[in-house]
Amino acid sequence: MSGNPQYHITHRMVPLICQALVAAPEDEIVWLEGLRMLANPKLKQALTLTSSIWLPLLLRGLEVTKPVPVIVSALKLLDHVSEILEPMKSCLVKPLRALGREKQYEELEELVWVIEKLELTVWNSDKEVIGRPRNLRTAPNSQANTPLPAGLSLQPAQKEQHPLLAEILAHNLPPKSRTVQQAWCQTLLSSAHDNPNIWLHNLYQATLESSNVPELVIASKLGPLIHEELFQTAFMKCYVQLESDQAFKNIVDNTLVSILSDASVNQEILIVLLELLAFFHKDKREFSSSVHEAAKACALNHFNGALNQPVPGVVLWYVEQNAENFPVQENIGNLVETNIRVGSAGYDAAWSTLLWLENDWQVEPEPLWITQLSHWQQALDAQTKLDQGQEGTSFSSFNTRMICYHALGAYQQGHELAQTLFEGLDDNERRNTAHWATAAAWHMGDFEAMADYLAFHPKGTSKSLYKAIIDVHNGQYASAFHHISKAQSLSYDEVQVQLDVGPQVAHRSLAKTELLVELQEVIQYKSQPEMRDNIISTWKTRFKKSHADPNTWLKRLELWTLAIPPAMTMHLQSCFIDCAKLCESAGMHQAAQSMLKKITPEIPPLGCKVEYTRFRFEWKKAYQDQDQSRMYEILNKLVKHTQDYLQHIGIDQEALERQGLGLQPLSVMANRTRLEHQILSRRYYRIAEWTAALQGASWASDDQSQVLNYTSLASKLDDDWYAACFSLAERSLSIFEMNEFSRSDSVAVSSYIVPALRGLFLAARTKENPEFVIKALLRLVTLWFRFGESTAVLVEVENQLSLTPVEPWLSAIPQLIARLGTPHKDLQYTLINLLKSISSQYPHAVIWPLLTATQTSKVEHQETARVIMSFICTMPDGIRLVDQAELVGKELIRTSASLMEKWRGIIEKIIPRDDLMQTAWHKVPSMWEHDIQYLRAIETPDEEQFVQLFGDQLLQIDKSLKRYKSNRQMSLVNFAYQELYKLYGDLDAQINQWKQPGSKLHLASTAPRLLSLRDCVLTVPGQYDPHLKLDDQAFIDSFAPIVDILSSKQLPRKLVIRSYTADYTFLLKGNEDLRGDERIMQLFNLINTMLNHNSDAFSRNLHLLPYEVIPLSPSAGLVSWVSNTQQLQSMIQINRAKNKQNDLNDKETASLLGHDPETFNPRRENPRFDPPAEMDRYDKLPIPTKIQRLKAALSHSKQSDLKDVLWQKSPSSNIWVRRRTNFARTVGVSSFVGYIIGLGDRHGSNILIDQLTWGALHIDFGDLFNVAQERSFLPEKVPFRLTRMMTNAFELASRGGLEVPGSRGTFKQASLIVMNVLRDSRSTVLAMLEAFLYDPLLSWTIGPNEPSHAEHNTQSSTERQTKTHTKRAHVQTHIVPQSLAPAAGCTGNSDIYDRIENSLIATYLETDSYMARVSSSTGMTNTKALQVLSQIERKLIGYHKDADQPLTINRQVQALIEEATDLKNLSQGYVLGWIPQW
């Protein structure tokens, strides 16, 4: 972003002009000038990237209340930016229609022209359409399927001429501006000590004025609105002017050195100057060495402070550079502290740097460092170790302990420590620790000590809050309200400051505002008894919806005790118990026990929840210690506890437990309260769980089915509780599978499968988190269709379907529709009825999947899907919906691949490669019979043109082959072969023209029926939201008439579908089955849900980047357009081209292939570079030779391209820190999810980088389930892509001092968290993948020459890489289109795909494996699918390769990182396309 000063000038002008308009909303002159300047042609590019800034102001300028000249100027600007606003023109409809209704504007020439240009419908006051009718505004292009010539675009009939920039500037530039010497003598060279803000303001203004750039000079008039980023560009322009005045330049340098060296200068000035030097570094311009040394010393020495005092990212940049150049103990220690002070984005880097310091220098980390990184118990342990052998307790030790005790909820220990040592501290130390001492005293109920500590508490929100708490305790409500009001006024500023530190810190400040509100409610509770019930209800509701943070919950509940003691009410008991459970799970055992102690009644009632919760805590401790005797003791206590409660409420225990098994309701519990049901349900669920844990694997063979009986009782007692219902299904299935019952065993099916189905239905009906509901539904679908032939199963399913709402089924629609072709008619009938029920309420949710089902080659799927679509036709607007869906689907499929492309693909499959008779010529007429017939029934101008050009030739070939079928004359085959070969060349030449940049299709000739669609009842694909009202859905309004053709192998189309709400851009892909990608996106969304429910993942915003995939047929579909992305490979190529390092690519390739790096040229014609032959030779090399060649390739550069691009493209150092962190985290998440599903082919064109956030996005899921790793020719050996280029872009600690880069740091931490989530949620992930296994529309049988769900049907993954590499030899010098399209490939064919064997090898199947149990009871014959999913299960358990025992998460992650970075593994595979050196 810093390489072009003009770029900075123009892109900063727009925000500045807009700020001037905002500052003067009623000044007509300012608005006229501002709108006129925005219409400057030189700002057109900047307007494209800043629409979110100026568009609201443009809309304001179109308001009817504005003066007429302002409205006219706004319309002129709108005309100027109409192309930019095309995707979002729907927001202009309302203001333009408002203007049209006004008499004075309806005939305004500017308004009419804008309406026609934007193709909008606007009526005047007489209800007449303004301008020409829409159908007359644009004549359709008559050229059939022919792209516009390169460089030519559609232009309106007239184009308003904008005034020249020089004329605009003439009205705004001052007659005479200051020279750089004059400007800086009065500002930069003046004292920086008097008033820093005024000094900076004057420097900004003077620098802009003297920059000698008209746009910057004008911007200087805006005064305080000037942004400091514009100052950097202006400073550079001024500094360049001093090349002719070396003496003054030296004075400037010396002044900068003086300011940077002066510790008394305000830090805001120092930060501005450090960012200025970083800007020069990005632009590869340099100050003198003395300035750089002064800046380095400034960053290292002038920003010392406490760990809670933030520092800017630019300081981290200098500190990290210093640590990298001089990796000594002191510098690494400084790097730890700086990463901590940068904020939450640097915490993982700080922790890994701390480990680096500890491992390489054997330095014990500072306990306060560990404390700041929220590792509380480790900090306490480190402090205890440090204190050993020391007399007394230092302040540092006291401070660390107080912080940790507070964070761990150990308030008693903190209070005792404060009582012992606080009085011995000096005033400054008291101020630093008063907060923790005050909080500890409050939680212990010592309000006198609390008041004493509070006297030393620094002013702020917390102090006022604590004062108010003391006042409420003392009954001084007026004083309390005063302090509450003061705290509320302080909290806003505090939140604003802490947002920059991190969301977790800001969240704690937001929690204080909630406490202030509840403190007011405490006063109301105590003073207004009539409001107590409402207040308690409000507290409970708010508590359930609040963020689950143990420290915040502890404070909230302690606040409630001011109103009412917890042991005296049952209404809030559940909140206290939930808080105790949260504390226990967070390792805050003392806080959990303290909470239970507070709410324990003096005489516990029978069935006491507190006692039950205490049993759970005791069991957890005993289970972790594997104390069998203690576990039996606790189980017996729970059984006795349950028996006593049953006796208390008068229930016969034996009678109740006799009714556990089976499907009959519990008559013993009739007329009992819901609370009694819930209490017993929880007890029996835990009894079942603990009994199973003590019995081990033998519980399933228990003749009395004791565990199943207890579980069944739990689900019957509370059928709204997900855990019990889902556990019933799991227990029942386990017994059925572990005892190896047969599907034909009707008794076993009725005893175990039917209850399992009921449990899953009940679980799906609960109001549980989405991840749990979809887990139950997916298991349910699999079980239903596995045992659907059983009458008992069908009866149960039909009964439960009648009780289950249809909304939960929306998340499983792809899996349901995939089963439409089931041969069992009764099963099919039930499924049809379910889909009809869904369709009756949510027709828009099923219409696109149904449309895809009607396009499959399986007749039973087509017919059944038609039945449901016929049902939709009986509904209001149903006929229109179905007709429009079929029309849109058919036309989009037609647009995705033209007749020319289809016939080229057909001919490519037919033409023999070696022997003429390799093709069964007599079968060809029947193979293409349907396609030949279609040539006689064409529907569009494009198809008509194709038939005119090639129809007769194809019919003649078909006629000859039909004659050959009867007489077998070889002359006919020779004729057909020659004609087909010639025809293929003609078609290929035509299609290759479409690969030129800027190629387009016209829907008027490609799919004219799409252009006739208006005001559809059909929603935009992938945009239907069942939670919105129907009127608020995104219905299709129209299609953009021009479709862009992208230049990748399959020529995907960029399509815009317009709606009244917004315009939606899609990638329309032909010759590709996207149904598997749709399922992968479904899996990604499920994993994102699981990550959001994990506190560590949530706090780091760990997530995958899914996108919408909408299959239209088995060979076409839509993919939502992902904007602001660029291929990782292209970023490297463009950076090297910019730096004139193109020769590096050739040198690296030469070293890999064994050529001379100095003479190698892959673009030479003689001899021509042959990638397939080169890879054939490379594959035969011994592994040591491959490793040596890869090392040679790596030696040509520092592999710092990604690192450099990340730094140079970040507008500020703080953004650089956040982007680098996000890049490492998203790479970690996507890498390990990809490892689990066996995702291969991760070359640089299949990884996109979001240019705003630097999140890594993966595309092209053709090589799934270890296909790339198991092929016989050039197999991949790495589990995911983690090259030196990528690890070098991470923070220093992730690679510093490590043999295996990535073994520490942000990437490693994200990887550990995501693997922990995946392994903990193993059954959920396997349930989703099990749906893959039984999906009849996804092919698992992969032949030796068939790609596995690849980008296209006739090209293997390796061939794609071959072609990508051939293209890569010509290094791109332009920005690659931001899309999901893979890198452009070259034309021509290769026989290399004949060597690819996408075969799945036999894998280890454990007898106790979940997938093995599935296979044993299903009769499934697709063993390869079962083998692959068994591999996935082993990964989720922790098995690595052939290991006999599962690994811990840390060891598993480390082993995979070592594999991914091992040069031995990187040197294998298709290195020309994968490019391991990048």
Side-chain angles (χ1 to χ4, degrees), residues 457-621:
H457 197 295
K459 293 181 179 180
T461 306
S462 295
K463 183 169 187 175
S464 297
L465 171 63
Y466 287 138
K467 282 186 175 181
I469 289 171
I470 293 175
D471 289 337
V472 172
H473 172 74
N474 296 329
Q476 300 173 352
Y477 299 146
S479 176
F481 274 119
H482 167 72
H483 288 122
I484 289 171
S485 176
K486 185 176 180 181
Q488 288 173 331
S489 65
L490 292 170
S491 63
Y492 175 79
D493 294 335
E494 188 175 293
V495 170
Q496 292 298 312
V497 171
Q498 291 181 341
L499 277 174
D500 292 332
V501 179
Q504 292 295 96
V505 179
H507 167 75
R508 296 191 189 102
S509 294
L510 288 172
K512 290 179 189 176
T513 62
E514 291 184 351
L515 292 178
L516 292 168
V517 171
E518 293 196 350
L519 190 57
Q520 291 175 311
E521 292 168 346
V522 167
I523 297 174
Q524 286 182 309
Y525 185 95
K526 300 184 73 171
S527 59
Q528 302 177 36
E530 70 278 3
M531 296 186 64
R532 289 180 178 178
D533 290 342
N534 289 336
I535 290 173
I536 288 177
S537 177
T538 301
W539 284 350
K540 290 177 67 177
T541 303
R542 191 183 295 142
F543 181 85
K544 290 179 180 178
K545 294 182 178 180
S546 65
H547 178 67
D549 178 69
N551 292 102
T552 303
W553 278 13
L554 286 169
K555 290 182 177 66
R556 171 173 283 169
L557 298 184
E558 192 65 39
L559 206 64
W560 293 354
T561 61
L562 292 171
I564 181 170
M568 293 180 62
T569 179
M570 295 295 292
H571 298 293
L572 297 175
Q573 189 184 72
S574 62
C575 298
F576 282 84
I577 289 176
D578 288 343
C579 182
K581 289 191 286 190
L582 180 64
C583 291
E584 180 68 20
S585 64
M588 301 166 61
H589 307 298
Q590 182 176 326
Q593 293 297 332
S594 174
M595 189 62 58
L596 291 183
K597 184 178 179 181
K598 283 184 178 181
I599 59 175
T600 301
E602 292 184 8
I603 304 177
L606 292 173
C608 177
K609 288 184 179 180
V610 180
E611 188 178 32
Y612 165 70
T613 305
R614 188 173 285 110
F615 288 156
R616 291 183 58 186
F617 291 173
E618 291 173 357
W619 170 269
K620 179 182 176 182
K621 175 72 165 57

Side-chain angles (χ1 to χ4, degrees), residues 284 1126 1128-1150 1152 1192-1202 1204-1205 1208-1209 1283-1285 1288 1368 1371-1374 1475-1478:
K284 300 190 183 301
Q1126 193 171 357
L1128 184 145
Q1129 181 171 317
S1130 298
M1131 293 168 63
I1132 298 171
Q1133 291 172 332
I1134 293 168
N1135 182 65
R1136 290 189 170 183
K1138 183 184 73 173
N1139 296 325
K1140 298 180 180 179
Q1141 295 177 329
N1142 293 339
D1143 60 320
L1144 277 180
N1145 302 338
D1146 294 343
K1147 289 181 178 180
E1148 291 170 345
T1149 304
L1152 273 176
L1194 290 169
S1195 68
H1196 293 295
S1197 73
K1198 297 179 180 179
Q1199 290 83 51
S1200 63
D1201 295 81
L1202 272 181
D1204 296 341
V1205 172
Q1208 292 166 6
K1209 284 195 171 186
T1283 60
R1284 298 291 189 275
M1285 194 78 76
N1288 285 344
R1368 187 180 66 82
V1371 177
Q1372 297 169 333
T1373 58
H1374 61 279
I1475 318 181
Q1477 69 273 20
W1478 285 7

Side-chain angles (χ1 to χ4, degrees), residues 1168-1193:
R1168 189 173 183 179
F1169 182 61
D1170 187 356
E1174 293 285 355
M1175 289 313 305
D1176 193 47
R1177 287 191 291 269
Y1178 185 87
D1179 186 47
K1180 298 173 183 176
L1181 293 173
I1183 290 178
T1185 304
K1186 293 180 179 179
I1187 296 173
Q1188 286 301 117
R1189 288 188 176 185
L1190 178 56
K1191 287 181 178 178

Side-chain angles (χ1 to χ4, degrees), residues 274 278 292-305 307 309-342 346 349-350 353 356-357 361 369 1203 1207 1213 1216-1217 1220 1291-1293 1295:
L274 289 176
H292 282 292
E293 290 300 320
K296 177 182 174 181
C298 174
L300 297 178
N301 304 320
H302 292 181
F303 289 87
N304 298 324
L307 292 178
Q309 294 178 347
V311 294
V314 68
V315 174
L316 175 62
W317 183 66
Y318 278 104
V319 172
E320 191 169 281
Q321 278 192 320
N322 187 53
E324 186 170 13
N325 294 330
F326 307 101
V328 296
Q329 177 182 331
E330 180 183 359
N331 294 342
I332 304 303
N334 289 338
L335 184 57
V336 174
E337 293 196 358
T338 308
N339 271 307
I340 292 173
R341 295 175 62 191
V342 161
T353 310
W356 181 14
L357 186 66
W361 284 273
W369 291 351
K1203 176 184 176 183
W1207 169 246
S1213 301
W1216 164 72
V1217 174
R1220 184 175 70 171
E1291 73 276 13
L1292 176 61
R1295 60 186 188 278

Side-chain angles (χ1 to χ4, degrees), residues 433 701 1076 1202:
T433 55
S701 57
L1202 272 181

